[in-house]
């Protein structure tokens, strides 16, 4: 197999999609795909068998929704611009404003589009500040004290995003704060969007709790349409990034296996979050119960990317054998977010994208070359 390559596995993708479709039906809510986490449009025909809408945060994403998914987007952006707002509106069924000033600036352009406001409940259990949308000083959303008692007639919905790969128990606690802050405006609305971060396809996620929460919410507010827009949940554990060892170097007793991929280019969340990815056939050293005297102690490697960034490495992992040049190193669960955040820094070869069909056939959907790097500056 030519590497590097992201491989999305159709069987695992359909498993997630079926679960999401079942939750939507049982909870009587709409669950839509957030492009910020997954935008591999060549597999949209599979998605359309299970869901009907998507969410966008830019003109490019809104166009992707309309032109490639085949339906107008639920669009939210921290700030729309004069140059893009009309194009976004042409591609959107719903448009959420981040501030009252943006709403006042563009409200008269929004005929035929359902308008919403992003609100901030000032509560989130997201521990990593970089990913916490409700942290003090956030640029996201309107707090309850800034809303008028009576909303303008054209405001039809609220959008509230507080989660990041969170469980249903977190949503249960967050929902209390959302209702305490904003329920007095619910009679004036038609819909509420509880945003993303609902990781319902994770094995330990309490799907039944989520369904009960939404069923109970409907009993309290039967006129409100409920929308969730997870990103990670759709592509969670649907495929790996396959790489090769291209060299092994050692300094001060630290062995680094240099790969034909890059953390900063192809797995940036690993450095941003940060988190340590699962590597097939290896154990992250801090999680290993092996001692320094283990028979595998000599098979511990830092994994290094193939860019010139000094910090383009992670480690270390313990293997059960000595790594060889040319050997595959496989990073698990590298489809969600990773595929949309890649870059061509340093001109490092961008991984191909493949679809492993249910019948076992691997189809290469996209290969990247010099022109892709060059044309970014064209």
């Amino acid at each position: 197999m030519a590497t590097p390559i992201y491989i999305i596995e159709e069987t695992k993708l359909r498993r997630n999609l079926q679960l999401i479709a079942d939750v939507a039906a049982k909870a009587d809510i709409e669950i839509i795909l957030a492009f910020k986490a997954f935008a591999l449009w060549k597999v949209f025909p599979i998605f359309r068998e299970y869901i009907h809408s998507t969410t966008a945060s830019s003109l490019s994403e809104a166009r992707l929704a309309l032109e490639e998914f085949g339906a107008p987007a639920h669009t939210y952006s921290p700030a729309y611009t004069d140059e893009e707002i009309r194009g976004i509106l042409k591609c959107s069924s719903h448009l959420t404003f981040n501030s009252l000033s943006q709403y006042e600036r563009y409200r008269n352009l929004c005929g035929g589009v359902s308008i919403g406001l992003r609100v901030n409940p000032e509560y989130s259990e997201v521990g990593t500040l970089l990913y916490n949308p409700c942290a003090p000083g956030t640029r996201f959303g309107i707090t309850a004290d800034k809303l008028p008692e009576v909303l303008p007639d054209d405001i039809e919905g609220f959008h509230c995003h507080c989660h990041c790969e969170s469980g249903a128990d977190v949503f249960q606690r967050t929902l209390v704060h959302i209702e305490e802050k904003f329920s007095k405006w619910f009679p004036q609305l038609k819909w509420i969007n509880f945003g993303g971060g609902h990781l319902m396809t994770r094995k330990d996620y309490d799907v039944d709790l989520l369904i009960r929460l939404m069923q109970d919410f409907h009993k309290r507010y039967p006129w409100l349409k409920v929308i969730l827009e997870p990103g990670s949940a759709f592509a969670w554990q649907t495929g790996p990034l396959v790489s090769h060892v291209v060299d092994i170097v050692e300094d001060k007793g630290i062995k680094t296996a240099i790969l034909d991929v890059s953390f900063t280019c192809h797995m940036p969340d690993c450095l941003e979050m940060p988190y340590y990815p699962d590597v097939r056939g290896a154990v992250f050293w801090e999680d290993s119960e092996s001692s320094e005297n283990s028979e595998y102690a000599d098979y511990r490697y830092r994994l290094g990317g193939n860019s010139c960034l000094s910090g383009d490495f992670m480690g270390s992992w313990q293997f059960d054998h000595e790594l060889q040049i040319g050997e595959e190193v496989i990073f698990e669960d590298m489809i969600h977010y990773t595929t949309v955040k890649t870059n061509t820094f340093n001109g490092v070869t961008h991984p191909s994208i493949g679809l492993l069909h249910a019948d076992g056939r691997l189809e290469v959907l996209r290969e990247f070359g010099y022109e892709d790097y060059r044309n970014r500056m064209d």
Side-chain angles (χ1 to χ4, degrees), residues 42-269:
K42 288 186 178 180
V43 299
F44 284 175
I46 298 174
F47 276 75
R48 286 196 295 267
E49 297 178 30
Y50 301 88
I51 65 170
H52 308 292
S53 296
T54 59
T55 181
S57 293
S58 63
L59 176 57
S60 292
E61 286 188 345
R63 286 189 59 182
L64 193 72
L66 187 63
E67 297 174 13
E68 302 299 340
F69 192 87
H74 294 236
T75 304
Y76 159 79
S77 175
Y80 303 105
T81 66
D82 293 348
E83 292 75 21
E84 294 190 347
I85 184 65
R86 288 174 177 81
I88 287 173
L89 287 167
K90 290 178 182 178
C91 301
S92 303
S93 60
H94 297 65
L95 191 85
T96 295
F97 290 103
N98 186 59
S99 67
L100 291 171
S101 57
Q102 280 260 300
Y103 162 73
E104 292 293 344
R105 184 178 183 88
Y106 295 119
R107 61 179 297 188
N108 292 332
L109 301 177
C110 297
V113 174
S114 184
I115 298 176
L117 297 176
R118 177 159 176 171
V119 294
N120 175 13
E122 303 174 81
Y123 177 87
S124 174
E125 296 186 20
V126 177
T128 303
L129 195 62
L130 183 66
Y131 293 88
N132 187 343
C134 300
T138 181
R139 70 189 194 281
F140 296 135
I142 305 161
T143 52
D145 61 298
K146 295 178 182 176
L147 288 173
E149 288 296 316
V150 178
L151 297 172
D153 291 340
D154 55 354
I155 299 296
E156 296 186 342
F158 278 171
H159 177 117
C160 187
H161 176 74
C162 310
H163 301 98
C164 178
E165 298 185 355
S166 304
D169 59 322
V170 178
F171 184 34
Q172 183 177 36
R173 293 189 291 271
T174 305
L175 190 57
V176 173
H177 291 264
I178 295 172
E179 291 188 58
E180 285 179 352
K181 293 279 189 180
F182 299 106
S183 61
K184 69 178 183 179
W185 285 284
F186 287 179
Q188 303 175 48
L189 304 176
K190 294 181 179 179
W191 54 266
I192 185 163
N193 184 329
F194 289 118
H198 308 271
L199 194 49
M200 61 192 73
T201 51
R202 190 176 60 199
K203 287 182 179 180
D204 62 350
Y205 189 95
D206 192 342
V207 171
D208 292 335
L209 175 58
L210 173 62
I211 293 171
R212 290 198 304 273
L213 288 173
M214 294 295 87
Q215 290 173 338
D216 291 343
F217 188 86
H218 283 312
K219 292 176 183 177
R220 296 193 296 276
Y221 316 103
W223 64 90
L224 280 180
K225 178 179 179 179
V226 175
I227 304 161
L228 301 184
E229 49 177 42
S232 296
F234 282 95
W236 183 257
Q237 295 187 339
T238 56
L241 171 59
V242 182
S243 69
H244 274 141
V245 178
V246 293
D247 198 11
I248 296 174
V249 298
E250 184 172 351
D251 183 63
K252 308 299 183 185
I254 298 173
K255 289 186 288 187
T256 299
I258 301 178
L259 310 175
D260 58 0
V261 293
S262 160
F263 289 98
T264 190
C265 296
H266 310 136
M267 297 171 276
D269 271 353

Side-chain angles (χ1 to χ4, degrees), residues 3 241-245 257 259-261 279-280 282 303 319 323-324 326-331:
T3 67
L241 171 59
V242 182
S243 69
H244 274 141
V245 178
L259 310 175
D260 58 0
V261 293
V279 177
R280 189 175 300 181
L303 299 180
F319 292 78
L323 292 183
Q324 302 295 321
E327 181 175 345
E328 284 186 353
V329 172
I330 299 175
F331 295 91

Side-chain angles (χ1 to χ4, degrees), residues 1-9 40 239-244 260-262 266-267 280 328-335 338-339 342 349-356 362-368:
M1 179 192 303
T3 67
I5 184 171
Y6 298 103
I7 300 176
I8 183 166
E9 300 178 40
L40 299 181
L241 171 59
V242 182
S243 69
H244 274 141
D260 58 0
V261 293
S262 160
H266 310 136
M267 297 171 276
R280 189 175 300 181
E328 284 186 353
V329 172
I330 299 175
F331 295 91
E332 306 285 12
D333 194 23
M334 281 293 164
I335 303 301
T338 295
T339 53
T342 59
T349 298
H350 192 291
S352 301
I353 299 171
L355 174 63
L356 183 63
L362 178 63
E363 178 186 2
V364 177
L365 302 176
R366 180 75 156 86
E367 294 180 289
F368 297 85

Side-chain angles (χ1 to χ4, degrees), residues 7-51:
I7 300 176
I8 183 166
E9 300 178 40
E10 181 182 356
T11 300
K12 294 179 179 178
L13 177 63
R14 287 187 179 274
R15 175 201 62 201
N16 286 356
L17 287 165
Q18 187 61 62
L19 185 150
I20 289 168
D22 290 345
V23 169
K26 292 175 181 176
D28 190 23
I29 61 177
E30 183 174 21
I31 303 178
I32 64 181
L33 169 67
F35 286 154
K36 68 177 182 179
F38 184 91
L40 299 181
W41 57 269
K42 288 186 178 180
V43 299
F44 284 175
I46 298 174
F47 276 75
R48 286 196 295 267
E49 297 178 30
Y50 301 88
I51 65 170

